Amino acid sequence: NLRKLLDIDQKIAHYTRIDVQNAYRKVNKRIRKNKKIGLTAIIYRIAAFMALPLLCSSALMGYLLLQPTEDEMSFIEIKSAPGTIYHCTLPDKSEVWLNSESRLRYPARFDRECRRVEMEGEAYFKVTSNKQHPFYVTTSDHIDVEVTGTQFNVNAYGNEEMIEITLEKGKVSVMSGGNTTQMKPGECYYYDRSNRDAFIKTVKPYEKTAWKDGKTIFRDTPLPEVFRRLSRIYNVDIEFINKSGKDYNYRATFTHENIYQILDYLKMTAPLEWEQIY
């Protein structure tokens, strides 16, 4: 800012080289010679109006030069380690939970028009209400979620085919491909990356958001998806080989169990075997 102030000072100095008072004295001298006294009042007005733009332009120059540009704004980027959940508080006191292997980028100070963050992976948002300054979440697929104050979950891992946005409380507008979709609590917005198709289903939000409380919930979940989620949660590589060719759906809730206990539970309810490979 010191460099900007010096720049402003130089520009103002350039304008102040216009000597209004000296110009007035020269004109007034000519007026006295020609004895046109009525013109003096007009000159006073001209001098006054010349000085006013000088002050206004100086103030405007100072405001514009002191405003931080996008390049000068500082941003904070957070990445959650594999197998961990990270909780953070944004500059507006909104809260965010980052699931395993997720990324969040946001400005150190939100601007005056809106609050905008970028994310990859999965995150649960508890946004502080402010109708004058809407909150935007942008995914890597350029899907924007607009809210003012609400609680919702965004699942947008880059290696998964489906993006899921689950609304728990409040109101959400999802903007994608020039279309805007309004959501209600208890709904999940699905976006299929392969065919760019979007649709909404009614869900039980806690089944989608329980991960932030350390719980893993499966409700009629296909086994390939079960293993994919377990792989991310526990930071292990799981290779699923379906020799039977049959599809199995799984229903369970886990809280404190480790990966070996969960695999044993799966073994009890489905015809499968598992082994650890070093």
Side-chain angles (χ1 to χ4, degrees):
N1 283 344
L2 179 59
R3 186 182 301 170
K4 291 181 179 180
L5 289 173
L6 291 173
D7 189 32
I8 293 170
D9 185 63
Q10 291 175 358
K11 287 181 170 59
I12 292 175
H14 171 73
Y15 283 105
T16 53
R17 294 192 188 103
I18 302 172
D19 192 342
V20 177
Q21 294 296 331
N22 186 42
Y24 165 71
R25 284 193 294 269
K26 290 180 180 179
V27 173
N28 198 31
K29 187 176 180 180
R30 293 175 186 172
I31 293 170
R32 285 197 299 270
K33 287 181 179 179
N34 296 320
K35 297 182 180 181
K36 295 182 180 180
I37 307 300
L39 190 60
T40 305
I42 298 175
I43 299 301
Y44 273 115
R45 292 190 182 95
I46 292 174
F49 283 121
M50 287 179 66
L52 183 60
L54 177 61
L55 294 174
C56 292
S57 61
S58 301
L60 179 61
M61 228 184 299
Y63 172 78
L64 292 175
L65 290 175
L66 286 174
Q67 291 304 303
T69 64
E70 185 176 351
D71 293 335
E72 293 172 337
M73 289 179 63
S74 59
F75 286 83
I76 298 171
E77 184 168 300
I78 298 173
K79 293 182 179 179
S80 57
T84 64
I85 297 173
Y86 187 88
H87 172 258
C88 66
T89 302
L90 302 181
D92 66 338
K93 307 303 179 183
S94 295
E95 295 181 83
V96 184
W97 286 259
L98 285 181
N99 206 346
S100 172
E101 297 182 285
S102 299
R103 180 185 71 88
L104 181 72
R105 184 176 184 267
Y106 60 93
R109 177 177 56 83
F110 288 123
D111 62 35
R112 298 176 182 177
E113 295 182 1
C114 69
R115 301 168 287 170
R116 185 179 294 275
V117 303
E118 302 171 8
M119 63 149 292
E120 295 176 3
E122 185 170 21
Y124 178 88
F125 294 86
K126 187 176 182 180
V127 177
T128 301
S129 179
N130 189 334
K131 295 182 179 180
Q132 284 72 38
H133 300 87
F135 190 98
Y136 293 92
V137 178
T138 302
T139 70
S140 56
D141 296 80
H142 303 292
I143 293 178
D144 287 328
V145 184
E146 179 187 6
V147 302
T148 52
T150 186
Q151 295 173 225
F152 62 100
N153 191 81
V154 180
N155 187 337
Y157 282 103
N159 59 352
E160 294 189 1
E161 188 174 304
M162 197 74 71
I163 292 177
E164 299 180 8
I165 300 169
T166 305
L167 179 58
E168 192 170 62
K169 294 181 181 179
K171 294 181 180 180
V172 157
S173 297
V174 182
M175 293 163 283
S176 175
N179 299 317
T180 301
T181 304
Q182 304 288 337
M183 292 181 61
K184 296 182 294 185
E187 290 183 339
C188 183
Y189 174 95
Y190 295 87
Y191 177 80
D192 192 329
R193 285 186 168 114
S194 60
N195 56 23
R196 298 183 180 180
D197 185 29
F199 57 92
I200 286 182
K201 284 186 177 180
T202 300
V203 298
K204 294 181 179 179
Y206 193 66
E207 295 177 8
K208 302 285 188 180
T209 65
W211 62 265
K212 72 180 178 64
D213 299 322
K215 295 181 180 181
T216 305
I217 298 178
F218 299 113
R219 292 293 182 266
D220 297 322
T221 308
L223 275 180
E225 184 178 342
V226 169
F227 290 125
R228 186 166 56 250
R229 287 175 58 186
L230 291 175
S231 177
R232 180 179 298 117
I233 293 169
Y234 291 95
N235 191 27
V236 295
D237 293 325
I238 301 177
E239 182 181 0
F240 176 53
I241 303 173
N242 189 352
K243 295 181 178 180
S244 68
K246 296 181 179 180
D247 295 329
Y248 290 93
N249 292 342
Y250 195 69
R251 182 183 180 88
T253 299
F254 300 106
T255 305
H256 302 295
E257 294 81 0
N258 59 44
I259 184 63
Y260 305 110
Q261 291 173 319
I262 293 176
L263 291 174
D264 283 336
Y265 290 138
L266 285 171
K267 183 179 177 180
M268 294 178 189
T269 57
L272 63 82
E273 297 289 337
W274 69 271
E275 63 178 353
Q276 186 172 358
I277 302 175
Y278 295 94

